[in-house]
Amino acid sequence: MILIEKIYRHGHDELTSVDQIEKFQTNDGYVTPNRVLAREIGADRENCFYKNEEGKRKKVLANKDGAGVWHLQTIGTSDPTADGLLKLPHMDHVWG
């Protein structure tokens, strides 16, 4: 099981889509690029969650588009601009 705790995007522009998140930090301290995590969840069938602002666990899914690219989304969310993943705390720096 993967538990996402923080997100990272280079620069200070506001995130408007889950695809703009560059990296994710999990509860075990690993920092994983978006596309790698999406592939693990989609192709390898890994279970992935994060805790929302109320502390409730939300499941993350990965779907493959027509070009073969994996995209992450919270289960039950159809609008990538309103996905709960965008509200996770940001990492200050990424090493690795």
Side-chain angles (χ1 to χ4, degrees):
M1 181 182 87
I2 300 168
L3 179 62
I4 298 171
E5 291 187 338
K6 294 182 181 181
I7 59 176
Y8 175 78
R9 179 175 184 213
H10 184 74
H12 298 289
D13 296 336
E14 183 178 344
L15 289 170
T16 58
S17 171
V18 174
D19 286 338
Q20 293 175 332
I21 300 171
E22 292 177 29
K23 298 182 182 194
F24 295 90
Q25 180 179 339
T26 57
N27 64 321
D28 55 7
Y30 286 102
V31 176
T32 307
N34 188 329
R35 299 288 180 241
V36 173
L37 183 62
R39 189 198 164 284
E40 282 182 32
I41 295 167
D44 298 341
R45 306 271 188 224
E46 284 285 339
N47 286 318
C48 182
F49 301 91
Y50 69 92
K51 288 189 179 178
N52 67 8
E53 295 167 328
E54 295 93 37
K56 294 182 181 178
R57 207 166 63 171
K58 296 289 187 175
K59 186 167 184 167
V60 178
L61 301 176
N63 297 306
K64 192 188 277 189
D65 66 14
V69 178
W70 291 97
H71 301 278
L72 295 172
Q73 75 179 64
T74 301
I75 193 168
T77 303
S78 58
D79 181 7
T81 64
D83 199 296
L85 283 167
L86 299 173
K87 296 179 182 170
L88 287 174
H90 291 255
M91 292 179 271
D92 293 328
H93 305 286
V94 174
W95 308 105

